[in-house]
Amino acid sequence: MSKYTEEQLEQELKTQEYKYGFYTDIESETFAKGLNEEVVIAISKKKNEPQWMTDWRLEAFRVWKKMEEPEWANVQYEKPKFQDIAYYSAPKEKPKLNSLDEVDPELLDTFKRLGISLDEQKKLANVAVDIVMDSVSVATTFKKTLGEKGIIFMPISEAIQEHPELVRKYLGTVVPTTDNFYAALNSAVFSDGSFCYIPKGVRCPMELSTYFRINEGGTGQFERTLVVADKGSYVSYLEGCTAPSRDENQLHAAVVELIAMDDAEIKYSTVQNWYPGNKEGKGGVYNFVTKRGLCENNAKISWTQVETGSAVTWKYPSCILKGNNSVGEFYSIAVTNNYQQADTGTKMIHLGKNTKSTIISKGISAGSSQNSYRGLVQIGARAENARNFSQCDSLLMGNLCGAHTFPYIEVKNKTAQVEHEATTSKIGEEQLFYCNQRGIDTEKAIALIVNGFSKEVLNKLPMEFAVEAQKLLEISLEGSVG
Amino acid sequence: MLKIENLHASIEDKSILKGLSLEVKAGEVHAIMGPNGAGKSTLANIIAGKEEYEVTAGNIELDGEDIGELAPEERAHNGIFLSFQYPVEIPGVSVTNFIKTAINETRKAKGLEDMPAKDMLKMIREKSELLEIDRKFLSRSLNEGFSGGEKKRNEIFQMAMLAPKLAILDETDSGLDIDALRIVANGVNKLKSKDNAVIVITHYQRLLDYIVPDFVHVLHDGKIVKSGDASLALELEAKGYDWIKQELV
């Protein structure tokens, strides 16, 4: 910070803890368990898809059948039984409850600590409540504004119907169906997701958030997202929410593809808070995600993620810097507590000249968790003057957790400059005592220290999201130091 | 205000305080002097409630209430402040954010609402002027890359913001050049009132030229072996601690 003006000082003092947004997981009507060609065809049919889409899914399914589940990640879990999963979910009404007394008390407690109002608690827990949902009107205004700019933002299932030419042109071009085991599976059976197209030269006037979309078409366990930013356009996209997402589905395998054409910029921010399992490490979501973006000339893609949930996470948002002067960024905070395991990082593939990438990864491990950073920086033979800067910091709490860093660097061009820095630190007794002495209890002190540690990444998130993420970090680490 | 009686304390079975008694009344300044290893910092940490020390006998009262069982943050809420000899770094947490958190957590413990931003801004402006701290300093990560002088000045800034009942300054003069020493001492003097008290822990007479004590105590081998007025500090400076040790024999 070069200056610290009176206004900035005032701003910092004013920053309040945030009142939370909401996010509903919509319970689903499901197909019978098991996966075969008939199921793939049935999914496609159920969604009324054109033949090319059905063929695309079937092709993916055939590839998937021949693939093996990868084992290289630094995580241990019981592999999902793929024939024991139901592959189609359609949104269905949850059973209505009559009062909050019928809701799981632990869930209510979490709501309370997130500062969610009583009315919203009812909404989240699906208790009958007579208030007009504000988000409906917000979403309407929102759609109108986007429509005027020619921006398309809708569930991908609708986009397949309404804009088949766009979807067909770009789907699978960044993450091919053959890319990996889980991407192939997703391609065969994805239930829904988002599609976004920003026309040439258009600067999307607001943050596009799944928050506005979630009640229109439920997302299932295999989510598919495709964002296309045409030449010279800009979009900031937010995914996920901080409210705890309870889900019956154990396996989540999403695919996200971003395409930034010449001079375009995409900012993609994620806050992920899937159910991490209980304190003994039972239950919890497996989150195996493939996220990748393609940059054409002078384009830029930034991935920012705050990962606090899931029992097992396996996720590497990546950038293919194909165009000259293109820029890729990855900012990540991954928190693991109790028995969570995360193997996450990024891939920066430099193909064009003067390409630049920045990686800032912050891993926070507590309890008996394991937190790994895995990153690949690859500089191609033609990538003259490519630059990369990577920084991986780990913060440990207690003596039972682990932090691991696996950097892979492959350079095929002599003009490249690649820098990698890594640090590991521990929250010390002295730091805690210092805070305690100033009247800050240990729980709050940890939150303060963790937020300080994560600041570089939190600063990259859009404002409201950053405040939510900050609060989420606090809650995720509650009780982690005895 | 503070009453310590026959305090015995040890760390990892090593006995450090061996029957220390001290009484500090509101409006007083006490200096505690003594050679290295006498137990000065231990005393400061024990009053603040650091958990690694074990109090084996004796008790500590603040305003007539035994605080022996209170957690460090509860003691802080009750008005005890320790200016650390070696303040720790907290990367990414600004001086402003830290003090704001400290103040609001203390208010919360007393059942008060957060301090309005406007009031806090006013107070920050006032106290940072008092300690000649510029605004940019307030945006820096707490103690990260601070010089010795900046660290100590920041400690006293926090003291000014928190307005404690009892402030313990643990070797606040170490690492200070003469200008910084004057600023810090001046700050402490301006914060003094008939309702609060200060305990100054130091090796040297130097700081006491600026913060004039009402009482000077010499701590040796875990006990207060001699007490007097400000002139005792001068005598110590002239004769050295060996004089005390010989006197004890």
Side-chain angles (χ1 to χ4, degrees):
Chain A
M1 199 180 289
S2 57
K3 263 192 283 175
Y4 191 60
T5 61
E6 189 93 340
E7 290 71 47
Q8 282 167 317
L9 172 65
E10 210 170 334
Q11 196 57 48
E12 185 162 4
L13 290 170
K14 266 192 213 145
T15 311
Q16 293 281 325
E17 282 172 3
Y18 188 72
K19 270 194 75 226
Y20 283 78
F22 69 92
Y23 183 99
T24 41
D25 248 342
I26 296 169
E27 203 179 299
S28 310
E29 168 203 344
T30 48
F31 269 26
K33 289 169 180 174
L35 185 56
N36 51 47
E37 293 209 358
E38 282 70 53
V39 172
V40 176
I41 292 168
I43 291 170
S44 190
K45 213 171 198 165
K46 190 100 187 165
K47 301 200 146 282
N48 202 15
E49 286 173 354
Q51 190 59 41
W52 62 264
M53 196 62 232
T54 314
D55 293 344
W56 194 83
R57 286 178 181 273
L58 281 171
E59 174 60 29
F61 176 70
R62 284 170 201 139
V63 172
W64 177 74
K65 268 203 307 192
K66 290 186 212 133
M67 293 174 119
E68 302 236 336
E69 207 179 341
E71 287 184 345
W72 45 263
N74 187 28
V75 293
Q76 282 167 354
Y77 59 95
E78 201 182 315
K79 287 190 180 156
K81 295 183 184 72
F82 293 98
Q83 293 305 333
D84 209 22
I85 292 173
Y87 287 88
Y88 178 75
S89 334
K92 198 182 93 175
E93 285 291 297
K94 278 188 193 176
K96 289 271 182 204
L97 304 175
N98 293 317
S99 81
L100 279 174
D101 300 340
E102 296 171 38
V103 180
D104 178 1
E106 201 185 318
L107 187 63
L108 283 184
D109 185 48
T110 315
F111 286 163
K112 219 181 278 166
R113 285 178 299 151
L114 277 162
I116 295 170
S117 75
L118 213 60
D119 280 343
E120 288 209 343
Q121 286 184 30
K122 288 182 182 168
K123 224 158 32 193
L124 285 161
N126 215 39
V127 173
V129 53
D130 293 320
I131 52 167
V132 182
M133 284 211 338
D134 200 28
S135 67
V136 176
S137 56
V138 175
T140 315
T141 336
F142 180 74
K143 270 202 155 156
K144 196 168 152 246
T145 317
L146 293 183
E148 282 164 6
K149 299 254 181 191
I151 295 167
I152 303 167
F153 181 44
M154 55 173 59
I156 198 160
S157 56
E158 276 176 39
I160 290 168
Q161 309 295 331
E162 291 178 30
H163 304 280
E165 70 300 337
L166 281 174
V167 177
R168 194 174 183 180
K169 186 169 173 193
Y170 295 111
L171 189 70
T173 57
V174 187
V175 179
T177 50
T178 53
D179 191 78
N180 68 67
F181 185 81
Y182 286 107
L185 179 63
N186 174 288
S187 303
V189 301
F190 75 84
S191 32
D192 214 332
S194 307
F195 174 76
C196 169
Y197 173 80
I198 316 290
K200 266 179 211 169
V202 170
R203 200 180 159 84
C204 185
M206 53 185 78
E207 317 273 355
L208 292 186
S209 166
T210 45
Y211 176 92
F212 291 105
R213 218 217 57 226
I214 196 69
N215 292 328
E216 293 176 30
T219 57
Q221 56 188 140
F222 301 100
E223 197 172 350
R224 185 96 197 183
T225 304
L226 176 60
V227 178
V228 181
D230 211 324
K231 291 180 180 171
S233 68
Y234 168 85
V235 62
S236 168
Y237 189 97
L238 313 180
E239 168 193 66
C241 186
T242 51
S245 313
R246 292 262 174 158
D247 201 298
E248 296 300 308
N249 300 318
Q250 194 177 31
L251 174 66
H252 282 249
V255 171
V256 176
E257 296 178 277
L258 309 183
I259 297 162
M261 295 191 209
D262 290 356
D263 306 299
E265 180 178 350
I266 302 174
K267 276 181 75 146
Y268 195 101
S269 313
T270 306
V271 171
Q272 185 269 112
N273 187 21
W274 293 112
Y275 182 52
N278 66 13
K279 288 199 168 64
E280 283 76 46
K282 291 271 167 0
V285 167
Y286 295 168
N287 193 25
F288 303 138
V289 184
T290 306
K291 291 183 162 183
R292 195 175 302 153
L294 178 77
C295 286
E296 299 285 0
N297 290 325
N298 310 311
K300 178 176 173 181
I301 289 179
S302 299
W303 297 101
T304 306
Q305 58 171 20
V306 177
E307 300 276 325
T308 64
S310 300
V312 183
T313 303
W314 186 94
K315 179 175 174 185
Y316 316 90
S318 307
C319 296
I320 301 171
L321 303 173
K322 179 176 161 229
N324 294 336
N325 312 310
S326 58
V327 177
E329 294 174 339
F330 174 75
Y331 302 102
S332 168
I333 302 168
V335 180
T336 52
N337 197 358
N338 299 321
Y339 287 90
Q340 284 177 272
Q341 305 176 68
D343 192 305
T344 182
T346 184
K347 289 190 272 187
M348 293 290 175
I349 314 291
H350 293 251
L351 301 175
K353 289 178 184 145
N354 306 314
T355 45
K356 260 197 253 174
S357 63
T358 306
I359 298 170
I360 309 280
S361 163
K362 305 272 181 180
I364 300 160
S365 333
S368 305
S369 68
Q370 296 295 326
N371 201 326
S372 304
Y373 166 82
R374 187 183 302 276
L376 168 68
V377 175
Q378 196 178 58
I379 313 276
R382 289 189 205 157
E384 293 287 322
N385 299 315
R387 302 255 158 106
N388 161 265
F389 174 76
S390 304
Q391 186 187 324
C392 304
D393 298 324
S394 308
L395 186 67
L396 297 167
M397 302 168 68
N399 298 318
L400 300 172
C401 55
H404 316 269
T405 305
F406 304 100
Y408 303 85
I409 298 171
E410 294 171 20
V411 178
K412 292 185 183 137
N413 185 306
K414 279 191 288 193
T415 60
Q417 274 186 31
V418 178
E419 290 174 71
H420 181 91
E421 287 177 10
T423 65
T424 303
S425 51
K426 220 179 140 176
I427 293 188
E429 291 298 321
E430 296 298 321
Q431 277 178 322
L432 293 177
F433 178 60
Y434 188 88
C435 294
N436 292 161
Q437 208 300 305
R438 299 300 187 249
I440 303 167
D441 68 24
T442 301
E443 209 75 86
K444 186 84 189 172
I446 288 169
L448 195 68
I449 294 166
V450 165
N451 280 324
F453 173 78
S454 314
K455 198 174 175 185
E456 280 166 280
V457 175
L458 289 173
N459 282 347
K460 298 288 173 186
L461 287 171
M463 187 62 163
E464 313 87 311
F465 227 41
V467 184
E468 284 195 39
Q470 201 166 329
K471 184 81 178 172
L472 182 61
L473 290 180
E474 282 178 36
I475 289 175
S476 309
L477 292 166
E478 257 176 24
S480 54
V481 166
Chain B
M1 177 183 287
L2 179 75
K3 199 170 178 188
I4 300 175
E5 276 175 332
N6 189 32
L7 188 66
H8 290 257
S10 58
I11 185 167
E12 290 163 359
D13 292 333
K14 193 178 171 255
S15 174
I16 300 184
L17 297 184
K18 304 167 185 173
L20 184 143
S21 298
L22 176 70
E23 190 171 355
V24 178
K25 295 200 174 82
E28 293 177 349
V29 176
H30 289 242
I32 294 180
M33 303 183 72
N36 278 330
K40 300 190 299 293
S41 287
T42 299
L43 176 63
N45 283 317
I46 287 175
I47 297 172
K50 197 171 189 187
E51 271 146 21
E52 60 193 71
Y53 295 96
E54 200 193 339
V55 174
T56 49
N59 57 300
I60 307 174
E61 284 178 8
L62 185 73
D63 291 334
E65 195 194 331
D66 190 337
I67 59 166
E69 294 300 313
L70 297 185
E73 63 271 22
E74 293 169 321
R75 298 183 194 205
H77 300 154
N78 286 344
I80 291 178
F81 178 90
L82 172 60
S83 167
F84 283 76
Q85 184 177 2
Y86 305 109
V88 296
E89 295 179 2
I90 306 186
V93 177
S94 70
V95 173
T96 307
N97 188 15
F98 184 75
I99 196 64
K100 174 182 128 182
T101 308
I103 286 177
N104 285 333
E105 286 298 297
T106 301
R107 290 175 67 97
K108 196 163 89 188
K110 292 177 180 161
L112 299 170
E113 294 283 303
D114 282 0
M115 182 183 280
K118 206 176 93 228
D119 297 355
M120 196 163 318
L121 184 66
K122 191 171 158 245
M123 186 152 85
I124 286 179
R125 214 182 275 139
E126 203 180 291
K127 305 301 180 192
S128 55
E129 247 165 58
L130 175 70
L131 291 153
E132 300 179 32
I133 284 171
D134 73 34
R135 192 167 299 130
K136 202 173 159 190
F137 179 85
L138 300 172
S139 73
R140 288 170 62 187
S141 285
L142 192 74
N143 293 317
E144 201 181 32
F146 285 17
S147 69
E150 285 172 330
K151 282 184 186 170
K152 296 302 169 70
R153 210 184 287 192
N154 181 37
E155 292 292 289
I156 304 303
F157 169 68
Q158 291 180 39
M159 171 183 158
M161 293 291 292
L162 289 163
K165 214 182 276 174
L166 174 70
I168 305 162
L169 313 184
D170 188 5
E171 310 238 354
T172 297
D173 50 340
S174 69
L176 289 188
D177 62 32
I178 198 74
D179 292 330
L181 184 69
R182 197 176 295 134
I183 293 166
V184 164
N186 184 34
V188 173
N189 286 332
K190 286 207 177 130
L191 297 170
K192 248 172 50 184
S193 79
K194 62 174 177 33
D195 300 319
N196 59 27
V198 183
I199 297 175
V200 181
I201 291 174
T202 182
H203 269 297
Y204 305 108
Q205 147 70 20
R206 195 173 72 144
L207 180 64
L208 305 180
D209 285 340
Y210 299 95
I211 304 174
V212 181
D214 301 301
F215 300 93
V216 174
H217 309 278
V218 181
L219 188 60
H220 176 65
D221 196 23
K223 270 186 282 211
I224 287 176
V225 293
K226 198 173 177 70
S227 296
D229 59 16
S231 66
L232 177 59
L234 292 166
E235 202 172 350
L236 276 171
E237 184 86 350
K239 297 188 182 171
Y241 290 113
D242 284 345
W243 160 63
I244 295 281
K245 288 180 196 167
Q246 275 160 14
E247 222 180 34
L248 286 172
V249 178

